[in-house]
Amino acid sequence: MSIKREDMRINLPKSEIFYYEDFLAKQEADDYFERLKNEIAWEEKEITIFGKTYKMPRLTAWYGDAEAIYTYSGVTNYPKPWNEVLLSLKERVENFVGASFNCVLLNLYRNGRDSMGWHSDDEKELGENPIIASVSFGGERRFLLKPKDKKNPTRGEILLRHGSLLVMGGETQKYWQHGIPKTAKAVAPRINLTFRYIGG
Ligand SMILES: O=C(O)CCC(=O)C(=O)O
Ligand SMILES: [Mn+2]
């Protein structure tokens, strides 16, 4: 990463997390939100846990280079080809972070009941110590962090703002889990993009 400003660093051990609250200006972020809402093929996917099928508590989409495929729960996922709005955002993020990405996972949290459970971005396709660049638009939601070591009480919390960029690198995925909890507060819809590199 070329922009490791210590004043932007989240102070958690065994991690490399940077948060740039003002990555995009308000007007730019507003424009991206509208375009992403309308120009992405959002899907309501299902997940099967212990033989029971549930709707995912958010809409998702997966775009990228043709070779950026990954297998999850025995299912091979093929990305949709990049569109104009995603390519423009990818270029902004790559120039800022100083790393390249070949795919992006998108999430649309329709309201406070939509969420993302605890997980790490540690799929084997991402390789060791992946760089994950996460851009947020729309309603502010809490991004929580906790160590994988259940005995460790340390917790992290970042309010991910409209137009912000969060970058996770180093050993973050090895030692930490993250998630977006549900909220009872009235919140505007939120779109999040995590740029990733598969097959490095
Ligand atoms: O919505 C967010 O900020 C988190 C998304 C995330 O963790 C993921 O897509 O893996
Ligand atoms: Mn994640």
Side-chain angles (χ1 to χ4, degrees):
M1 272 182 264
S2 65
I3 35 74
K4 294 181 177 180
R5 276 180 52 193
E6 281 305 312
D7 55 330
M8 299 297 184
R9 185 156 182 180
I10 303 298
N11 183 20
L12 290 173
K14 292 177 160 176
S15 76
E16 226 176 86
I17 308 171
F18 294 83
Y19 179 55
Y20 308 90
E21 189 171 276
D22 301 314
F23 173 60
L24 298 171
K26 164 100 173 48
Q27 185 60 56
E28 282 180 312
D30 289 352
D31 293 346
Y32 274 120
F33 180 89
E34 281 308 310
R35 291 195 62 185
L36 291 165
K37 197 176 72 181
N38 298 321
E39 297 174 29
I40 294 298
W42 295 106
E43 292 183 69
E44 189 171 40
K45 290 242 163 142
E46 292 183 332
I47 33 169
T48 303
I49 303 168
F50 298 119
K52 205 167 178 285
T53 301
Y54 304 86
K55 281 184 177 159
M56 269 193 184
R58 60 189 179 277
L59 305 183
T60 61
W62 171 243
Y63 285 74
D65 294 354
E67 70 271 15
I69 55 174
Y70 75 103
T71 306
Y72 184 76
S73 303
V75 179
T76 303
N77 291 280
Y78 297 89
K80 293 202 162 58
W82 296 105
N83 66 15
E84 194 193 324
V85 57
L86 288 175
L87 281 177
S88 100
L89 203 46
K90 174 165 108 80
E91 195 180 311
R92 294 282 296 264
V93 172
E94 287 182 334
N95 288 338
F96 190 83
V97 175
S100 41
F101 302 101
N102 64 0
C103 55
V104 63
L105 179 65
L106 296 98
N107 293 293
L108 170 53
Y109 302 81
R110 294 158 291 187
N111 54 46
R113 289 185 301 279
D114 277 354
S115 62
M116 164 103 56
W118 288 113
H119 69 283
S120 306
D121 298 334
D122 58 0
E123 290 80 11
K124 66 175 186 330
E125 289 88 346
L126 296 171
E128 183 110 345
N129 298 342
I131 297 176
I132 311 283
S134 167
V135 190
S136 293
F137 300 98
E140 288 176 12
R141 295 289 295 263
R142 293 162 67 215
F143 179 86
L144 306 183
L145 289 141
K146 71 173 184 187
K148 286 188 184 174
D149 172 8
K150 290 193 167 52
K151 295 192 290 291
N152 184 340
T154 313
R155 295 291 181 269
E157 174 170 343
I158 306 166
L159 194 61
L160 292 180
R161 295 187 52 185
H162 182 50
S164 70
L165 171 68
L166 177 82
V167 182
M168 295 185 278
E171 295 186 310
T172 308
Q173 307 305 327
K174 200 159 154 184
Y175 291 109
W176 295 85
Q177 289 192 319
H178 55 268
I180 302 278
K182 293 182 197 304
T183 174
K185 283 189 206 146
V187 283
R190 166 173 184 265
I191 291 173
N192 173 266
L193 291 78
T194 49
F195 289 93
R196 298 143 185 260
Y197 192 91
I198 278 186

